[in-house]
Amino acid sequence: MLKFDEQKQLNSVNGALALRGTINDIVDQFCREGYKNICWLGIGGTYASAMQAVVHMKERSEIETFVENAAEYNTTGNKRVGKGTVVIVSSVSGNTVEVVAGVKKAQADGAKVIGFIDVAGAVLDELCDYTVNYAENEQLKFFMVADRFMFNNGEFEEYDRYYSELDAHLAQALVDVSKKADDFAKDFAMKHRHDEMHYFIGAGNQFGATYSYAMCYWEEQMWLRTKSIHAAEFFHGTLEVIEENVPVTVFVGEDSQRPLSERVVNFLPKICANYTVIDSADYELEGISKEFRGNLSHLVMHAVTSRIDVYIEKFNCHPLEIRRYYRRLDY
């Protein structure tokens, strides 16, 4: 398989899961001392991950939780952020300017900040009240925080059984998804690598993945024009610009919002002959109970789309690390 290191991927997921003890210690301290709400703060890809965490929590928990785009928060603020607020951020570089400013603003208003910062010693690593240094698997780290808050609030009775399954099986299950998806990903990349416009549709914890994949991967890394749209909104505008040959991809997960994506999938054959459905249910997660699959749909989707990425990179002879403007110009 092209650019696929099985052992590295296994180590990455298992290493993230091994952070749970550290994460639990931080969350448990907040729960002992008391807190009023949780704010997930991000920009770009981290904003997408934050949206996923909020969707994951809102149908399960009475805890007040919400997501803020860091740039919007810095200009508009949010009166709900203050003393007793737990702010959660993530940063690969550790110096994302909008997030740095947002953390300072939240702390000035009395909030405490948990930061998942890849680079030890970076600005955000020093700035956050609690930090965890570990690269990759951002969504998994965010969900471990959310799950622990809900467990401590008496809202996740299956917590221990769930994480026992993840510890034992998740890393290998996601490797198996990548392997199964490889031929599909290669064909998809060859077909769509020069699309003039591509629409990505998703819902539930898949919408954050949809948003991020369109913007952070296809636009930022591949320089391909896209639009992401929530499946619930597809029928309120986007359907009118879909024609026979317009490329559309629907991400279908297994959480409670699956019917929203299925509605789009059922409609598309009436107007479009160039659509693709990527359904997490098509991939076996050996060792994971069916009742837990919805929590992991976004991780399954990432394992699939990651294979698409490496083939578009190869076919277009365009290294994904190249940027024309991002962090290269002042803006």
Side-chain angles (χ1 to χ4, degrees), residues 281-301:
D282 292 336
Y283 295 88
E284 182 181 3
L285 297 178
E286 186 175 350
I288 305 297
S289 299
K290 183 177 180 179
E291 65 188 289
F292 299 140
R293 289 182 58 99
N295 298 344
L296 306 171
S297 296
H298 60 296
L299 300 180
V300 174
M301 199 63 61

Side-chain angles (χ1 to χ4, degrees), residues 303-317:
V304 175
T305 57
S306 293
R307 299 310 303 155
I308 295 172
D309 301 342
V310 298
Y311 284 112
I312 289 184
E313 178 182 51
K314 175 181 173 62
F315 296 150
N316 284 358
C317 301

Side-chain angles (χ1 to χ4, degrees), residues 164-216:
S164 292
E165 292 187 10
L166 266 56
D167 289 341
H169 303 292
L170 181 62
Q172 185 61 55
L174 293 177
V175 162
D176 293 343
V177 171
S178 296
K179 290 179 178 180
K180 180 179 179 180
D182 195 61
D183 288 340
F184 157 78
K186 184 176 181 179
D187 293 342
F188 183 95
M190 177 59 73
K191 179 179 179 181
H192 294 291
R193 65 193 181 100
H194 291 316
D195 285 350
E196 294 183 0
M197 183 67 180
H198 196 117
Y199 290 87
F200 288 96
I201 317 296
N205 62 32
Q206 293 288 9
F207 181 65
T210 308
Y211 176 85
S212 175
Y213 192 59
M215 181 175 65
C216 299

Side-chain angles (χ1 to χ4, degrees), residues 191-192 194-199 241-249 268-276:
K191 179 179 179 181
H192 294 291
H194 291 316
D195 285 350
E196 294 183 0
M197 183 67 180
H198 196 117
Y199 290 87
V241 296
I242 304 302
E243 298 174 335
E244 179 182 357
N245 294 317
V246 172
V248 181
T249 296
L268 280 172
K270 300 177 181 179
I271 62 171
C272 183
N274 192 16
Y275 68 91
T276 302

Side-chain angles (χ1 to χ4, degrees), residues 18 37 50 81 86 105 111-112 159 175 189 199 226 251 287 305 307 326:
N37 55 27
V81 177
V86 182
K105 178 177 176 59
K112 297 292 185 181
Y159 176 88
V175 162
Y199 290 87
T226 69
F251 292 171
T305 57
R307 299 310 303 155
Y326 180 66

Side-chain angles (χ1 to χ4, degrees), residues 134-268:
Y134 188 84
E136 300 183 340
N137 291 288
E138 180 175 85
Q139 295 90 350
L140 183 55
K141 292 180 287 190
F142 274 11
F143 275 47
M144 283 192 284
V145 173
D147 290 342
R148 189 64 178 183
F149 271 111
M150 291 191 292
F151 173 74
N152 286 343
N153 205 44
E155 297 168 328
F156 200 155
E157 294 181 0
E158 305 85 3
Y159 176 88
D160 290 329
R161 180 164 59 90
Y162 174 63
Y163 275 99
S164 292
E165 292 187 10
L166 266 56
D167 289 341
H169 303 292
L170 181 62
Q172 185 61 55
L174 293 177
V175 162
D176 293 343
V177 171
S178 296
K179 290 179 178 180
K180 180 179 179 180
D182 195 61
D183 288 340
F184 157 78
K186 184 176 181 179
D187 293 342
F188 183 95
M190 177 59 73
K191 179 179 179 181
H192 294 291
R193 65 193 181 100
H194 291 316
D195 285 350
E196 294 183 0
M197 183 67 180
H198 196 117
Y199 290 87
F200 288 96
I201 317 296
N205 62 32
Q206 293 288 9
F207 181 65
T210 308
Y211 176 85
S212 175
Y213 192 59
M215 181 175 65
C216 299
Y217 290 83
W218 277 49
E219 291 182 340
E220 180 182 325
Q221 297 182 25
M222 303 174 196
W223 304 349
L224 295 172
R225 293 177 176 84
T226 69
K227 180 183 180 182
S228 59
I229 186 73
H230 197 289
E233 290 293 295
F234 176 82
F235 294 98
H236 299 274
T238 304
L239 81 168
E240 288 295 340
V241 296
I242 304 302
E243 298 174 335
E244 179 182 357
N245 294 317
V246 172
V248 181
T249 296
V250 187
F251 292 171
V252 183
E254 298 168 71
D255 63 356
S256 63
Q257 293 191 30
R258 179 182 177 88
L260 298 178
S261 293
E262 288 180 322
R263 185 185 179 202
V264 177
V265 171
N266 293 334
F267 174 78
L268 280 172

